[in-house]
Amino acid sequence: MVIDADKCTGCQACVVACQSENNLALNEENRVIERRAKTWIRIERYWEGEWPNAKARFLPVLCQHCGNAPCETVCPVWATYHNPDGLNVQVYNRCIGTRFCANACPYSVRYFNFWEPEWPSPMDRQLNPDVTVRTKGIVEKCTFCIHRINRTKRQADRDGRPVADGEVEPACVQACPTTALVFGDLNDSDSKVSELSHSKRAYSLLDSLGTAPAITYLKKVDPSHVDEHEEHGH
Ligand code: SF4
Ligand code: SF4
């Protein structure tokens, strides 16, 4: 995935789309106060520059599907591993709830189910049948909407053709009104994500940790802050 931070307006459409696509329970006020709220994708806001020239910047953060994922090596029961497509996947019925993975993830994108998920009626009757509802005691996180990937692959198989670039759209990508999020196959050198990931504006989150994230961020270098960028990196 490629995320263009310069296009993100912080509207939260991706957050709402992910929440409803992936059967995440509502985050009621108490859950937020207790710091137990769950969102597989979150928008981090920070300020760039000083008043009166300060600008609000937004950064969508979700599982980076790391090539060297620290969450995978600490799981004692292989409930999280890399699949052949390069996704960091979670086997819910194998998870025993140690939360080692959540503690090992430097991006804080894994969430533990402290309660059974509940939805007020009639929302409990509009769950997505393609996505497993996670029970109390297990860990969950962004799947890159793997059910959509698998559905598209099955359709392409039936049609006897390869999956086209851009054909798979995770819910967050589909909902983004500014096309800040782009999804595709990084192993295909002709794909849009491959092209974008070689942009001069490209960087990875916490690159120095060696996690090899599968998400590339794009960020414009503001000429008025060029010295600051040179000094601190991205
Ligand atoms: S971002 Fe965290 S949860 Fe996702 S693969 Fe990397 S270490 Fe694992
Ligand atoms: S790819 Fe799917 S699961 Fe991951 S943040 Fe986007 S909508 Fe949520």
Side-chain angles (χ1 to χ4, degrees):
M1 183 181 285
V2 173
I3 298 177
D4 190 336
D6 286 324
K7 284 186 175 177
C8 178
T9 61
C11 73
Q12 309 263 355
C14 55
V15 179
V16 175
C18 177
Q19 205 85 0
S20 83
E21 173 78 10
N22 291 295
N23 297 335
L24 276 98
L26 293 184
N27 287 315
E28 289 157 358
E29 191 178 353
N30 275 353
R31 298 290 186 249
V32 176
I33 293 169
E34 293 162 347
R35 296 179 178 271
R36 299 282 191 244
K38 284 188 300 179
T39 55
W40 287 2
I41 179 168
R42 64 174 185 267
I43 307 293
E44 295 195 350
R45 186 186 64 182
Y46 62 97
W47 298 97
E48 203 173 68
E50 297 292 332
W51 171 263
N53 296 316
K55 291 176 191 157
R57 296 291 192 194
F58 304 99
L59 199 69
V61 180
L62 58 159
C63 172
Q64 306 288 302
H65 293 268
C66 308
N68 294 321
C71 60
E72 292 172 10
T73 48
V74 294
C75 179
V77 292
W78 281 72
T80 189
Y81 68 95
H82 245 57
N83 81 357
D85 288 335
L87 302 183
N88 170 257
V89 293
Q90 180 85 2
V91 186
Y92 299 127
N93 56 4
R94 233 186 247 168
C95 178
I96 54 172
T98 65
R99 287 179 272 164
F100 292 166
C101 58
N103 290 326
C105 171
Y107 304 96
S108 298
V109 291
R110 285 181 164 265
Y111 298 89
F112 184 68
N113 281 278
F114 285 90
W115 300 275
E116 290 295 345
E118 286 178 1
W119 291 265
S121 183
M123 291 182 75
D124 56 345
R125 277 175 269 156
Q126 61 180 42
L127 297 180
N128 184 349
D130 291 339
V131 177
T132 309
V133 172
R134 288 76 57 188
T135 51
K136 179 180 172 181
I138 63 170
V139 171
E140 60 180 66
K141 59 149 200 101
C142 158
T143 64
F144 266 174
C145 288
I146 193 169
H147 54 289
R148 290 191 177 204
I149 297 174
N150 289 339
R151 189 193 307 147
T152 309
K153 280 163 71 173
R154 282 196 300 272
Q155 186 59 51
D157 266 356
R158 279 196 288 270
D159 298 345
R161 58 172 177 83
V163 173
D165 184 32
E167 193 176 351
V168 180
E169 274 196 319
C172 54
V173 173
Q174 188 178 25
C176 179
T178 63
T179 62
L181 282 64
V182 183
F183 188 76
D185 184 0
L186 279 173
N187 292 323
D188 173 4
S189 55
D190 295 328
S191 67
K192 180 89 177 155
V193 282
S194 290
E195 182 197 327
L196 289 171
S197 66
H198 289 105
S199 158
K200 283 185 183 159
R201 296 187 295 132
Y203 72 103
S204 305
L205 283 191
L206 302 180
D207 204 22
S208 57
L209 297 180
T211 48
I215 298 184
T216 300
Y217 287 82
L218 302 182
K219 174 75 180 73
K220 179 171 65 185
V221 177
D222 188 335
S224 64
H225 294 111
V226 75
D227 289 338
E228 194 183 318
H229 279 94
E230 277 170 6
E231 196 176 327
H232 300 298
H234 291 286

